[in-house]
Amino acid sequence: MMLLMSRINFGKLILFQLILAFQIGIAIPARAQQFHFTENKIKDAIRFTMVKNLVIIPVYLNGQGPFNFILDTGVGPLIITDPALIDSLGLKVSRSIKISGLGKGEEIDAFVSNEISANVGKAAIEHIPAAILKKDIFGLSNYLGTKIYGLLGYYFFKSFLVQIRYSQKRLLFSYPAAVRKIKGERVSIEIVGYKPYVNIDMETADHKNITIKMLVDNGASHAISLERLNERPFPVPSTSIPASLGVGMSGPIDGSIGRIPSLTIGGVVLKNILASYPHYDDVAAKVILKDRNGNLGADVLSRFNITFDYEDNSVYLKKNSLFNRPFEHDMSGIEVYLQEGKKKHYFISRIEPGSPAEKAGIQVDDELISINLMPVMSYKLDEISNLFKAADGKQMILTIVRNNELMIKVFKLKQRI
């Protein structure tokens, strides 16, 4: 498990690209088409937790819970990543399937079930199509610092008008007729294979203006991932750094990180955006939709209070208080994960070659004890990630334990891209 975790740069990119429900063989009965409100409600609102730009909501399954699920426009069926729920909920699984996805590696095994009911707030669905992974390959809980049981996507978004107020950490959902006017700028989307796509204008690193088709994926923590252009790998800018970009359904994804001068979605312009360029064979070669150029993630989407209206093939964007925050890459070269037992422990899972952390002698599997003389347990995992993006040149003093020996390491953050 440690070996796998040390290879996952989860903070920069999370790609949950499953083969679509009908492609992995999940039968979708007519009765499982929609969430509906109970108690004669027409709308509801709940609070969510946001970690590394991801929306984490409480979901009840078969009347038990709540269980933390990532709300993710990038998945079709319900995905349960913790196979322990099979026994604890007494789930019936109809059969076993193979799922292929992005990244290096082979297909993975999963169970199929149509016997799961789910509740979000006062909304409920019965017999939601679900895939249950036989092994938790993502280790989401360790890299988000909170227990994660799976991902919820298409069936929730298709049922309601869904508004994600990132700045307030509130999720509002209603029947479309319950809302008279939607705030924000309307942008057309296309629903293809259970997922939303949008056309955006982009200025490339060599200052060419192009229009590209992107998956709108709020379950990916990065800003933008550029996969292919004209059936070839998307050109990587000359100023870029190699990076481990994350983990897909089939394993690790490597590539590069650079910057693009600007992108325009609707009438809104964002500038100096961090862009991920995954290796072609890891991602683009495995994506079935060939006119797709990449993936628009939550580091862009979270700068808006965004309303999804699948029924009208549209999203509405309204700038929020997070809009003007800079797009920053980790400046330490450290990836941290949480290991929970009787006590919580933070460990180093990855060190980027040539980074300040590597030059300071920090190593994979070092246990992190304090940051700038503050006990590490006084921070949430997301706060630690933000500390390592704080400011170019900021001094960091880390206390670590290696082989039962206490060490102090000092380095300065460096903006590498």
Side-chain angles (χ1 to χ4, degrees), residues 346 367-371 374-377 399-401 406:
Y346 287 105
E367 181 175 359
L368 190 56
I369 303 301
S370 71
I371 302 175
M374 289 289 293
V376 70
M377 298 316 301
T399 304
I400 62 170
V401 169
L406 198 66

Side-chain angles (χ1 to χ4, degrees), residues 165-185:
R165 293 185 179 176
Y166 282 99
S167 57
Q168 301 171 7
K169 298 180 182 177
R170 294 189 73 217
L171 179 70
L172 291 77
F173 44 106
S174 65
Y175 293 135
V179 178
R180 293 183 179 180
K181 184 178 180 180
I182 304 174
K183 295 181 180 180
E185 178 174 357

Side-chain angles (χ1 to χ4, degrees), residues 119-404:
N119 292 73
V120 178
K122 298 297 183 181
I125 186 173
E126 296 182 356
H127 307 288
I128 184 171
I132 307 167
L133 305 188
K134 291 186 179 180
K135 182 179 180 181
D136 184 1
I137 62 170
F138 294 123
L140 298 178
S141 303
N142 301 100
Y143 282 87
L144 293 180
T146 187
K147 181 64 177 176
I148 301 294
Y149 291 88
L151 304 95
L152 173 67
Y154 173 75
Y155 289 94
F156 185 76
F157 284 96
K158 73 163 288 190
S159 300
F160 302 118
L161 201 68
V162 179
Q163 182 182 149
I164 303 175
R165 293 185 179 176
Y166 282 99
S167 57
Q168 301 171 7
K169 298 180 182 177
R170 294 189 73 217
L171 179 70
L172 291 77
F173 44 106
S174 65
Y175 293 135
V179 178
R180 293 183 179 180
K181 184 178 180 180
I182 304 174
K183 295 181 180 180
E185 178 174 357
R186 183 184 183 275
V187 179
S188 295
I189 60 173
E190 180 184 10
I191 307 298
V192 181
Y194 299 85
K195 301 174 185 178
Y197 290 83
V198 66
N199 290 327
I200 65 174
D201 298 319
M202 190 189 88
E203 182 183 0
T204 65
D206 57 358
H207 304 292
K208 293 181 180 178
N209 294 312
I210 59 174
T211 299
I212 53 178
K213 183 174 184 176
M214 307 296 285
L215 170 65
V216 181
D217 189 357
N218 78 317
S221 63
H222 62 267
I224 188 171
S225 175
L226 298 170
E227 301 160 4
R228 63 150 61 91
L229 185 65
N230 300 324
E231 294 302 317
R232 297 178 62 84
F234 210 104
V236 179
S238 56
T239 303
S240 62
I241 58 174
S244 173
L245 300 178
V247 62
M249 190 61 72
S250 291
I253 298 172
D254 294 326
S256 301
I257 293 178
R259 288 187 183 268
I260 56 174
S262 69
L263 67 82
T264 302
I265 177 169
V268 182
V269 179
L270 297 102
K271 296 184 177 181
N272 198 27
I273 303 104
L274 277 174
S276 300
Y277 298 83
H279 287 168
Y280 190 85
D281 290 341
D282 288 353
V283 176
K286 296 185 177 183
V287 173
I288 293 175
L289 193 65
K290 297 304 180 184
D291 63 343
R292 153 184 162 163
N293 299 106
N295 173 297
L296 188 67
D299 197 17
V300 167
L301 300 175
S302 62
R303 295 159 194 270
F304 303 91
N305 288 340
I306 181 170
T307 302
F308 292 88
D309 187 352
Y310 279 23
E311 185 177 281
D312 186 47
N313 292 307
S314 59
V315 296
Y316 292 80
L317 304 175
K318 184 174 175 30
K319 295 180 185 178
N320 62 30
S321 59
L322 305 175
F323 184 82
N324 291 319
R325 75 177 190 264
F327 291 92
E328 288 295 2
H329 179 54
D330 166 68
M331 299 182 197
S332 68
I334 292 175
E335 184 75 18
V336 179
Y337 76 95
L338 173 67
Q339 186 176 85
E340 289 196 269
K342 292 182 179 179
K343 294 183 178 180
K344 294 182 178 181
H345 297 271
Y346 287 105
F347 290 93
I348 308 298
S349 63
R350 182 188 54 82
I351 298 290
E352 287 190 1
S355 66
E358 184 191 55
K359 294 177 181 178
I362 299 171
Q363 298 179 9
V364 170
D365 294 340
D366 287 346
E367 181 175 359
L368 190 56
I369 303 301
S370 71
I371 302 175
N372 292 342
L373 308 182
M374 289 289 293
V376 70
M377 298 316 301
S378 64
Y379 297 107
K380 295 180 180 178
L381 193 56
D382 205 31
E383 293 171 334
I384 294 174
S385 296
N386 291 334
L387 283 174
F388 291 149
K389 299 178 183 178
D392 188 31
K394 180 178 176 63
Q395 181 171 277
M396 307 299 293
I397 304 172
L398 303 190
T399 304
I400 62 170
V401 169
R402 181 189 305 160
N403 298 326
N404 296 319

